Amino acid sequence: MKAAVFEAANRLSIQDKPIPQLAPGDVLVKVELCGICASDLMALRGEITDYSPPVVMGHEVSGVVTESRRDSVKVGERITVNPMISCGECHYCRSDLDKYCQELYGIGHDIDGGYAEYLRIPRQAVENGCLLSVPNEIPAEEVMFIEALGCCLNAMRETIFRESVAILGAGSIGLTFVKLAKLRGLQTFVVEPLGHRREMAEQLDADCVANLDEIPKLMDVANGGVDTVILATNNIDALDLMFKLAKRGACLNFFGLFPKGNELKLELEELHFMGYKILASWAFSRWSMNESRKMIVEGAINFEGFLTHRFPLEKAVGAFENTANRHGIKTALVP
């Protein structure tokens, strides 16, 4: 089978690999689509270090079971995966905080993921409930967003909201936050430098969408500031903007992942008297993944128009370049 292998920083190669062989309890999936996540791009650039190359990356998967060594999983099921495989027994796992498990390893991070024709789901992942089945009538183009939506739902659960929210960045994650904010009835502001992404935010009925030179207009509409700011980008210039937009007592969620070495410096007396609530949400929980699946299956949310670019697996390098250049909204590989 063909696979896109992350070999080392700035080295991605297309290789012929054997179709994975299954052990008892394993499941084999034929990959339909696999979205390119910003974290994969950052790993390829050498900006983050939580990957274990050489490895087939890819964790935003939609696929169909083609072979199963577990009675409860049937051939022909359409699935996605919770890519975090944990021990299932420690304090963190018992608290639905698997991402902090000391024995955690990840599909597409530490073991081969979805940038390939076939993906093996190991027995431990299946037993931990990491295989999420969806009705076959749910399109692959929706299923591939379950993991990303799970991350956003987890952040929404952790964040303090009142009446208004500003979302900085309108890529696929920022636009997902727009959808969730509108479902929550929040006055929703978006800041995005790229015109085609601002247009998408407007189509999703954001209350005010601004370019970087239109911040005064946004502040005027927001009556001087917002109750919550969600950083959905890793543009370093957005850090100052977060605090500029925030009211006293606002909640600031640093959702965007920055390259290693970046720092946030705060004047602590000002922090104290401004009363900011600062947090950094990342990844998902088992609750948020299940809720994400439920919302997509029930039609409570959809991702129409998000998947703007598809590349065959053989052109994975070009797909990463497309993502790096911020063309469209979301790019996926098609094995």
Side-chain angles (χ1 to χ4, degrees):
M1 68 172 187
K2 298 290 185 184
V5 180
F6 170 41
E7 297 185 74
N10 300 306
R11 286 175 54 194
L12 183 73
S13 64
I14 307 303
Q15 299 181 13
D16 286 309
K17 296 172 68 72
I19 294 175
Q21 298 298 304
L22 302 188
D26 291 353
V27 170
L28 186 68
V29 173
K30 176 72 173 72
V31 178
E32 298 174 293
L33 286 171
C34 191
I36 294 181
C37 178
S39 62
D40 290 346
L41 175 61
M42 294 176 73
L44 183 59
R45 287 171 163 174
E47 295 174 343
I48 57 175
T49 57
D50 66 329
Y51 285 66
S52 303
V55 69
V56 177
M57 291 195 292
H59 55 270
E60 299 179 358
V61 176
S62 174
V64 175
V65 175
T66 58
E67 185 179 351
S68 176
R69 298 292 179 87
R70 188 173 181 86
D71 291 342
S72 60
V73 180
K74 305 302 181 186
V75 170
E77 287 186 50
R78 175 164 283 155
I79 62 90
T80 190
V81 295
N82 170 341
M84 288 187 177
I85 306 172
S86 60
C87 75
E89 298 176 353
C90 69
H91 165 74
Y92 292 119
C93 291
R94 293 196 306 271
S95 303
D96 197 11
L97 294 169
D98 305 43
K99 61 188 175 184
Y100 300 126
C101 175
Q102 294 299 305
E103 298 181 23
L104 184 74
Y105 62 102
I107 295 171
H109 280 236
D110 307 296
I111 64 172
D112 286 348
Y115 297 158
E117 294 180 74
Y118 291 91
L119 167 65
R120 181 182 73 91
I121 311 299
R123 175 180 178 176
Q124 184 180 1
V126 178
E127 291 179 345
N128 283 4
C130 294
L131 200 64
L132 302 179
S133 178
V134 299
N136 285 352
E137 60 266 24
I138 305 298
E141 293 82 359
E142 295 287 320
V143 175
M144 63 168 276
F145 284 101
I146 288 178
E147 188 269 350
L149 175 59
C151 294
C152 294
L153 286 169
N154 178 68
M156 294 290 287
R157 194 184 204 188
E158 294 179 343
T159 304
I160 299 170
F161 293 101
R162 295 187 180 92
E163 297 178 354
S164 60
V165 59
I167 298 160
L168 308 190
S172 61
I173 289 292
L175 293 170
T176 301
F177 278 123
V178 172
K179 281 179 170 280
L180 294 173
K182 296 302 294 182
L183 285 173
R184 198 177 180 120
L186 297 169
Q187 187 180 27
T188 303
F189 300 87
V190 177
V191 180
E192 168 56 54
L194 298 179
H196 66 280
R197 294 184 174 183
R198 290 198 304 274
E199 182 178 342
M200 186 67 168
E202 290 170 350
Q203 291 174 12
L204 298 181
D205 294 326
D207 295 282
C208 180
V209 180
N211 199 346
L212 293 174
D213 60 0
E214 298 175 312
I215 300 305
K217 178 190 77 171
L218 185 153
M219 293 291 282
D220 184 58
V221 176
N223 294 317
V226 297
D227 301 312
T228 302
V229 184
I230 297 176
L231 184 68
T233 176
N234 63 3
N235 185 327
I236 197 72
D237 295 331
L239 296 180
D240 287 340
L241 183 57
M242 289 186 77
F243 290 93
K244 182 176 182 178
L245 295 177
K247 287 181 179 178
R248 286 179 176 267
C251 180
L252 291 80
N253 192 328
F254 289 76
F255 184 92
L257 173 62
F258 282 81
K260 187 176 179 64
N262 284 279
E263 295 181 350
L264 175 67
K265 295 183 179 181
L266 298 175
E267 206 291 311
L268 294 180
E269 183 186 28
E270 180 182 0
L271 174 64
H272 179 89
F273 287 112
M274 291 299 289
Y276 295 133
K277 315 303 186 287
I278 296 177
L279 73 154
S281 295
W282 67 282
F284 44 78
S285 63
R286 278 175 277 120
W287 168 84
S288 71
M289 286 293 286
N290 289 329
E291 185 68 14
S292 173
R293 175 197 174 279
K294 179 182 177 183
M295 289 182 72
I296 288 177
V297 168
E298 294 180 353
I301 194 169
N302 70 76
F303 292 89
E304 182 180 355
F306 276 42
L307 179 56
T308 52
H309 292 83
R310 305 174 193 232
F311 283 76
L313 192 58
E314 294 82 359
K315 296 185 178 180
V317 172
F320 271 84
E321 290 174 352
N322 191 74
T323 300
N325 291 326
R326 298 185 294 169
H327 294 315
I329 305 297
K330 186 69 175 181
T331 299
L333 289 174
V334 185

